[in-house]
Amino acid sequence: MWTGPAISTWFQGASAVQVFNRMGYAAAAVGNHDFDFGQGTLRTNGEAAAFPFLTANVTLAESGDPPAFATPYVIRVVDGKSVAIVGLTTTDTPRIVMPAHVEGLAFGEYADALRRVVPQARAEGAELVVVTAHVCPSELRALTPVAAELSIPLLAGGHCHTLENVEQDGVRIIGPGAHWQSFAQVDIAFDAVTGEVVSTQAELVPVEYATAAGNPVTPDAGIESLVAEWKAQGDEVLGQVIGYTESGIERDWPLYNLVVDAWLWVYPQADLAINNLGGYREAIPPGEITRADVVAVLPFENTLIDVELTGQQVMDNLLCCGGAVAGLTYHRAGARIIAELDDGSPLDPEATYHVLVNSFTYTGGDDYLFSVHDPDTYDTGIHWRESVIEWILAQKTSAERSLETLLDDTQRGMGQ
């Protein structure tokens, strides 16, 4: 709900919650990035929200009760009918967020959660049950037999940033993609006498702004005021211009390399650097570069960890998880990694290297093995984002010395 855009990230979702309230949200499913600032902030944002946060499959590990920040479902009256909205959260969450942020929680199977809470919702008077989920549409397709069994006509989801609009086993599965670039409009025809769903009609509506013709919609005055207020606050801390790029820096190897190169620049005691590609969230747009742009690229709160790894352990991590690298290049050869240091020599499997990684991947995020290989490591305390800001500032870029001309666009490795 709030990680990504610089203002929302910086203020830990407070701005987003106010806008959602103004938009009149009825409910929202809890997603993995909603844990980015810890369960305390999730509770704080939930208290500020005029709508409930939903998750039926996340419970307290010890008791099995719902967590303080969410409820399994909510019942709303729509056109005179009681509709239960059930929430689901991706079971990948413990693997892709900081472990401390999900401590004490259990992430159960979707089918088990639905079989448990849907009868409860119906016992409370729900005539119709729908699901909103921070779950990939592909996983929702696998859930359709259970949805059909429980007479759930709609599984609406997102997580994998894919567009989806299909009907399977009488269940509509819809996913509007990512970055609010479209929204899903679903109409359900419901027979109030028989209590059965007659049909569903759904479409994905693109959200477009025709800049040449101006804004195609009349802006909501209240939201405009909120945006202006939060932008003013954000500009105070994030508006500093740190550089310039004529063409912008896309989410590709020049940007990947920029980040890890900046790490080694600010901490030259390390030999290598490895960063997960999932950590890069946005491109840098053309024009003046502000601190906010870097926050949008790297919105998470990570520090740089100096781990000691053998060359073989470096290759094991690259084989399992890929990523952006500095100090070497690598490629896969069957079930092996072939890696070469910047001086042209091969990575020595027996030698020991100091490797900079971010604190998320150190704790096992995205399946990296760093903490297993070096459980007694050194946290540099350097924020992974500030090192990038410092490097860009040091380049003194301008229209005559544009940032993209200073970057290495070599594909140094492979994805995840």
Side-chain angles (χ1 to χ4, degrees), residues 288-330:
E288 292 184 334
I289 304 168
T290 65
R291 296 179 70 93
D293 293 320
V294 181
V295 172
V297 173
L298 304 171
F300 312 119
E301 297 304 313
N302 287 313
T303 56
L304 298 183
I305 309 295
D306 181 349
V307 294
E308 289 190 39
L309 303 176
T310 66
Q312 184 58 56
Q313 290 169 338
V314 170
M315 290 187 282
D316 290 344
N317 278 281
L318 295 175
L319 182 64
C320 82
C321 310
V325 294
L328 79 161
T329 57
Y330 71 96

Side-chain angles (χ1 to χ4, degrees), residues 29 64 93 214 222 224 242 278-279 321 348 377 384 413:
T93 299
E224 274 197 316
I242 61 173
C321 310
D348 184 348
T377 191
W384 72 329

Side-chain angles (χ1 to χ4, degrees), residues 16 92 113 152 154 185 280 282 316 348 352 399 410:
D92 282 342
I152 299 171
L154 173 65
Q185 171 73 38
Y280 301 82
E282 297 288 345
D316 290 344
D348 184 348
T352 299
T410 303

Side-chain angles (χ1 to χ4, degrees), residues 10-199:
W10 191 263
F11 294 107
Q12 299 192 344
S15 57
V17 169
Q18 288 190 10
V19 172
F20 294 158
N21 286 345
R22 177 75 187 190
M23 291 173 70
Y25 274 37
V30 174
N32 52 293
H33 285 302
D34 298 327
F35 292 95
D36 283 346
F37 307 115
Q39 294 179 49
T41 298
L42 192 47
R43 286 193 298 272
T44 298
N45 287 344
E47 291 165 0
F51 56 94
F53 297 167
L54 305 180
T55 179
N57 66 308
V58 179
T59 58
L60 298 178
E62 288 191 2
S63 65
D65 294 332
F69 54 78
T71 187
Y73 60 89
V74 65
I75 296 177
R76 300 294 191 206
V77 177
V78 182
D79 289 342
K81 299 301 171 187
S82 295
V83 179
I85 308 169
V86 180
L88 295 175
T89 302
T90 175
T91 52
D92 282 342
T93 299
R95 184 180 65 84
I96 55 179
V97 304
M98 297 290 263
H101 293 172
V102 292
E103 187 174 354
L105 300 177
F107 290 75
E109 295 300 320
Y110 312 130
D112 294 341
L114 291 180
R115 289 193 174 106
R116 183 180 72 254
V117 305
V118 169
Q120 296 173 10
R122 294 195 188 281
E124 286 187 33
E127 300 169 82
L128 181 67
V129 178
V130 298
V131 170
T132 181
H134 194 93
V135 174
C136 293
S138 59
E139 293 181 274
L140 294 180
R141 285 198 297 273
L143 196 60
T144 52
V146 176
E149 166 196 326
L150 297 171
S151 299
I152 299 171
L154 173 65
L155 300 175
H159 174 55
C160 288
H161 297 188
T162 55
L163 295 170
E164 188 86 11
N165 185 7
V166 299
E167 192 170 50
Q168 180 175 306
D169 298 328
V171 178
R172 175 72 58 175
I173 304 160
I174 197 159
H179 304 128
W180 288 328
Q181 292 177 346
S182 64
F183 66 87
Q185 171 73 38
V186 184
D187 296 303
I188 300 174
F190 179 74
D191 189 323
V193 176
T194 65
E196 296 179 349
V197 171
V198 177
S199 65

